[in-house]
Amino acid sequence: TGINYRKEDIIQMAGIPILNQKKEAMFSTFIKPPQKIPQFIQQLTGIKTKDVKSAPHIAQVLPDLVEQYRDYIWVAQCGYEFDFPLLSRLYSQLTKKNWPIFCIDTKVLFAFLYPAEKKTLSTNFLINHYQIDVSKYKRHDARGDAHIIADIFLKILQNYQERAVLEVNIDKLRVKKFVVPKKLAA
């Protein structure tokens, strides 16, 4: 419903398990938030309040999803800045437990490979860097973005293999943080 992970809710979730460097069947669902979807988010995502009217609530989805994919590493773009804190907050509210999933951010994985890169490692930057054809995916839609992030992740894994990187230490890594555009921050 917005960009502030401390107070926003989820309207759509999607994920693509990757096994042996191949995409598996996608999980995808709309989520009915406890509030109306703001107009700007409806315009950005194409998801209207009416689209989620009969969707399950997050409480009906997230605990089961965590249980089903507990042994997977969850990957997101800007995940440390938004997705993972949001999921962790909601999961803790629902279950009174800490987030049990190991998560990694494609932005951080890329920054480890290219520490001299000074540009913001946005999704668009990574799409362009890896020359990923996104014409068949809808942006700002969980299903489309899941495919794009999976493609980026597979390209990053390929880079790691090509460089024979077997260990990643991100303790001292500096990554330029996403800056919320003023029109989104309102």
Side-chain angles (χ1 to χ4, degrees):
T1 55
I3 198 79
N4 184 342
Y5 69 83
R6 289 181 179 94
K7 66 177 187 173
E8 302 298 348
D9 292 291
I10 295 173
I11 59 174
Q12 186 184 31
M13 293 181 76
I16 303 171
I18 296 176
L19 298 171
N20 299 317
Q21 298 187 10
K22 300 275 189 239
K23 291 185 199 178
E24 299 287 318
M26 172 185 278
F27 161 83
S28 173
T29 185
F30 284 121
I31 302 290
K32 183 177 183 177
Q35 64 202 19
K36 286 186 176 182
I37 301 171
Q39 189 62 38
F40 175 77
I41 298 300
Q42 290 184 52
Q43 291 171 340
L44 178 68
T45 65
I47 300 169
K48 312 286 185 226
T49 299
K50 66 179 179 165
D51 297 331
V52 299
K53 189 175 183 174
S54 62
H57 292 275
I58 192 69
Q60 298 168 283
V61 177
L62 189 57
D64 291 339
L65 196 61
V66 166
E67 191 56 40
Q68 182 175 354
Y69 294 105
R70 177 181 294 277
D71 295 331
Y72 287 71
I73 297 170
W74 290 26
V75 179
Q77 168 66 12
C78 291
Y80 293 153
E81 297 168 50
F82 182 73
D83 298 81
F84 303 138
L86 174 63
L87 288 168
S88 179
R89 176 182 63 83
L90 292 172
Y91 183 79
S92 294
Q93 287 173 351
L94 294 170
T95 67
K96 309 300 183 221
K97 297 177 186 175
N98 290 330
W99 182 249
I101 306 290
F102 182 80
C103 302
I104 193 75
D105 192 322
T106 52
K107 207 169 131 170
V108 172
L109 291 172
F110 183 89
F112 182 81
L113 291 172
Y114 300 95
E117 183 58 64
K118 299 298 181 214
K119 294 181 181 173
T120 300
L121 305 178
S122 66
T123 304
N124 285 339
F125 174 88
L126 295 176
I127 288 168
N128 291 331
H129 176 84
Y130 287 115
Q131 300 177 350
I132 296 171
D133 177 12
V134 298
S135 62
K136 58 187 173 252
Y137 304 129
K138 183 178 176 191
R139 294 293 309 275
H140 306 294
D141 172 276
R143 295 169 300 213
D145 286 347
H147 277 289
I148 292 167
I149 301 311
D151 290 348
I152 289 169
F153 180 63
L154 289 169
K155 293 285 189 179
I156 291 172
L157 286 180
Q158 184 179 1
N159 278 171
Y160 273 77
Q161 288 176 330
E162 291 166 356
R163 294 182 184 195
V165 176
L166 301 175
E167 186 175 309
V168 177
N169 183 342
I170 62 171
D171 289 340
K172 295 179 181 167
L173 189 63
R174 293 188 155 283
V175 181
K176 194 173 190 180
K177 188 172 178 165
F178 172 74
V179 177
V180 178
K182 289 182 182 179
K183 66 180 179 180
L184 287 177

